[in-house]
Amino acid sequence: MAAEAILTDGRKLPYVIRENPPRGGMKHTYFAPDQSYVVQFFNNPDHARDPNLRRRLEAIIGKYNPTRPEAQGGAPGGSEAMAAYFAQKFCWPTAIVERPEFGIVCPAYPSNYFFSDNASTVPELSADLRGKDKRSKWFTSPRLRRYMREQELGDFRSMLQMSISLARSIRRMHQAGLAHSDLSCNNVLVDPQSGSCVVIDIDSLVVPGLYPPEVIGTGGYIAPEVLETSSLPFGHPGRRLPSVYTDLHALAVLIYEYLLLRHPLSGPASYSSDPEEDDFLCMGPKALFIEDPQDSRNRPADLGLTIQDLGPALEELFLRAFAGGLHCPDARPSAMEWEKALVKTWDLLQPCENPDCAARWFIFHDLRRPVCPFCGHAVSRENIVRLRLRSQLRGRAGQWTGAGEVNVYHNMPLFQWHVLSGRFPDEKADREMVAYACRYQGQWLLVNHALSGMLSPGGSLVPAGQAILLKDGAVFRLSNEDRGYLAEVVRGR
């Protein structure tokens, strides 16, 4: 049956009433006739009379909104292009509904965040999952993964891409001055096939000075200090509530799960015979990282892949998040630090040469250990090719400092941030490929696709369409601009 939602500005939006609409803890949902948006009404009628909730929603939809350009009343610093970018990363409310009930309008999730007809190898489970949200537990839990079809699971590279996307989204949300308060596997929908994710339940965000958090979070993602003080009444000076710092704990847990397919605190340590009390202690006051370098009491016997296998940048952040920062919120890495470390790690990806490797990609960070940590297959000597990048010190011509490393594989693209210092692949980046590496007739080449100032090792200009032979020890400029990187080729020994 068709109905109309009346918005605060008087607009009318049609929606379709059906029996037993999807219902969560706070809202129930109806879809637009074309499925492009949803109208969500609050389950509790008292919400309509709560002025703080209304002010919070107005702020979230308006001046804190990264999916709306600043010129149109959205978050400060947001251009139209940035707003369009983050509109794909969040399911952000777009309007408040006044009648027939108090509620909000949100974009509908894109179709790739719903399970298809044949997601599982078990027909009954496929039928049960059909049309339901893709929550990450199905892809990060070893117990649940075994029931999913291989094509649904993606690979290690797509999970790393998903991690970058999530870190970038949370960084932008924090820059806008907001905290999610319930960041978890339930409120981030994922698509491992494409490496994308979308943050949902935005209407519960913590807006500074306008509305405190309503929930403490979801089990497994609640920061230890919040769980430990949860028995204290609201308003008690010792009560710790969700904030940016607790988001940072949940963000680190999600990234760890995406990349290592396990929970960072779920190990063999036990503190009580009562399951509920034991879970409280293991995730709260007694929480201990399963890879803590100083305390192995919670380390599983079959740990397998470790944070060391992810490269030094991510290893450092995981130790800060779950060793130094587990019970010290101020020590947790920021979302921006995660974004930078993940992007740096992306450049160390290497395709596994084993056609049966489930991960298909790995982080090849140590040239002395050219082995896929997932399957143990060695990298062929002739396929070990790395570019060591250096940037010129400002005001010191001819003096260079390390600027990162890039593993080379067939058809690997290079972008502006691989060529010029001061560029970063964030939401403002130019994502047009400027060069690419390829293996041709047994030789590794770097082909200039769209650069005007690439120089050969001998100092000659390399026109677009021409290539540089990637010989061991070769040094060349990716750009002759002052900010252009110097690249040194390192081949397998």
Side-chain angles (χ1 to χ4, degrees):
M1 183 174 69
E4 283 188 330
I6 314 254
L7 309 185
T8 51
D9 60 6
R11 285 183 297 144
K12 298 179 180 180
L13 289 182
Y15 64 96
V16 178
I17 295 179
R18 71 174 193 179
E19 291 185 12
N20 300 316
R23 186 177 295 268
M26 290 188 64
K27 300 181 297 294
H28 52 286
T29 301
Y30 298 101
F31 282 84
D34 64 357
Q35 307 279 305
S36 64
Y37 60 86
V38 295
V39 176
Q40 298 183 306
F41 297 114
F42 287 94
N43 297 331
N44 186 349
D46 290 341
H47 280 118
R49 295 185 288 274
D50 188 338
N52 287 329
L53 174 58
R54 182 178 292 272
R55 285 197 294 269
R56 179 179 66 168
L57 290 174
E58 289 170 348
I60 289 171
I61 293 169
K63 65 179 182 179
Y64 290 100
N65 188 348
T67 70
R68 178 184 291 181
E70 182 179 11
Q72 297 175 23
S79 65
E80 286 192 19
M82 289 169 61
Y85 179 91
F86 283 112
Q88 306 302 312
K89 307 295 183 184
F90 294 102
C91 188
W92 205 278
T94 58
I96 295 174
V97 179
E98 298 289 356
R99 296 189 300 278
E101 301 174 58
F102 184 65
I104 56 174
V105 178
C106 288
Y109 311 146
S111 60
N112 59 309
Y113 295 114
F114 295 101
F115 281 109
S116 60
D117 292 344
N118 298 299
S120 174
T121 55
V122 181
E124 294 82 4
L125 183 56
S126 280
D128 185 56
L129 287 175
R130 184 185 301 122
K132 292 184 178 178
D133 304 346
K134 288 185 178 180
R135 304 191 179 195
S136 63
K137 283 296 184 185
W138 288 101
F139 308 100
T140 61
S141 165
R143 182 177 61 85
L144 297 176
R145 279 174 62 87
R146 64 184 179 180
Y147 297 117
M148 306 305 296
R149 292 194 182 277
E150 184 179 348
Q151 62 266 29
E152 290 282 337
L153 298 175
D155 54 34
F156 179 77
R157 182 171 71 162
S158 66
M159 299 299 269
L160 181 60
Q161 184 176 345
M162 211 158 67
S163 302
I164 295 172
S165 177
L166 179 60
R168 182 168 296 145
S169 298
I170 302 307
R171 182 262 298 164
R172 184 67 182 99
M173 188 177 69
H174 288 176
Q175 283 178 333
L178 299 170
H180 190 284
S181 83
D182 190 14
L183 192 61
S184 72
C185 64
N186 293 333
N187 291 328
V188 182
L189 303 186
V190 301
D191 176 23
Q193 290 178 282
S194 66
S196 59
C197 63
V198 61
V199 182
I200 65 173
D201 273 8
I202 302 300
D203 56 291
S204 298
L205 296 182
V206 178
V207 181
L210 286 182
Y211 208 84
E214 295 178 314
V215 295
I216 64 170
T218 299
Y221 303 89
I222 303 170
E225 69 275 10
V226 173
L227 198 58
E228 187 174 357
T229 62
S230 59
S231 62
L232 298 175
F234 276 95
H236 190 285
R239 179 78 184 260
R240 302 298 294 270
L241 296 174
S243 66
V244 165
Y245 292 111
T246 63
D247 277 359
L248 295 179
H249 172 76
L251 173 63
V253 172
L254 285 165
I255 293 172
Y256 189 91
E257 288 184 318
Y258 293 170
L259 300 181
L260 294 166
L261 308 182
R262 60 177 182 250
H263 193 282
L265 307 181
S266 294
S270 180
Y271 302 97
S272 174
S273 58
D274 180 281
E276 190 172 324
E277 175 70 10
D278 187 55
D279 186 64
F280 167 78
L281 293 171
C282 288
M283 294 293 161
K286 298 288 187 180
L288 177 62
F289 183 31
I290 62 174
E291 296 192 54
D292 191 298
Q294 307 300 325
D295 190 338
S296 61
R297 287 176 299 159
N298 200 30
R299 190 169 303 161
D302 56 345
L303 195 57
L305 199 74
T306 71
I307 55 175
Q308 285 86 6
D309 295 310
L310 301 178
L314 290 182
E315 180 185 359
E316 178 193 350
L317 292 197
F318 279 126
L319 288 174
R320 284 176 53 195
F322 298 130
L326 189 57
H327 298 284
C328 183
D330 292 350
R332 292 169 188 158
S334 69
M336 180 176 287
E337 288 179 285
W338 279 112
E339 182 184 3
K340 288 182 176 180
L342 289 161
V343 165
K344 185 176 183 179
T345 302
W346 178 272
D347 284 336
L348 297 178
L349 277 168
Q350 182 82 10
C352 183
E353 297 172 28
N354 176 9
D356 297 321
C357 180
R360 294 196 281 273
W361 297 81
F362 67 98
I363 305 303
F364 183 20
H365 62 94
D366 187 349
L367 291 173
R368 298 167 299 181
R369 295 173 56 210
V371 176
C372 172
F374 293 98
C375 70
H377 195 281
V379 183
S380 303
R381 181 175 177 271
E382 62 271 17
N383 287 336
I384 301 176
V385 187
R386 180 172 293 182
L387 299 180
R388 286 183 175 155
L389 305 180
R390 295 186 178 89
S391 60
Q392 192 164 218
L393 294 174
R394 185 173 296 178
R396 300 183 185 180
Q399 296 187 42
W400 302 82
T401 186
E405 298 185 331
V406 181
N407 277 338
V408 170
Y409 51 86
H410 185 59
N411 287 336
M412 182 208 72
L414 290 183
F415 302 93
Q416 285 287 349
W417 56 86
H418 295 119
V419 173
L420 300 172
S421 64
R423 300 289 178 90
F424 183 72
D426 60 10
E427 64 274 13
K428 300 183 290 294
D430 181 349
R431 285 179 161 73
E432 291 295 321
M433 182 182 72
V434 295
Y436 64 93
C438 66
R439 192 173 184 189
Y440 179 71
Q441 295 183 347
Q443 295 183 317
W444 283 98
L445 305 174
L446 184 67
V447 181
N448 182 359
H449 180 68
L451 291 171
S452 58
M454 180 186 281
L455 300 178
S456 72
S460 302
L461 197 66
V462 180
Q466 298 298 307
I468 292 173
L469 180 63
L470 297 179
K471 295 170 56 178
D472 187 41
V475 178
F476 59 93
R477 291 286 297 273
L478 285 160
S479 171
N480 57 8
E481 293 185 34
D482 288 343
R483 294 181 297 125
Y485 284 141
L486 189 74
E488 178 189 2
V489 181
V490 180
R491 297 291 304 270
R493 298 292 191 262

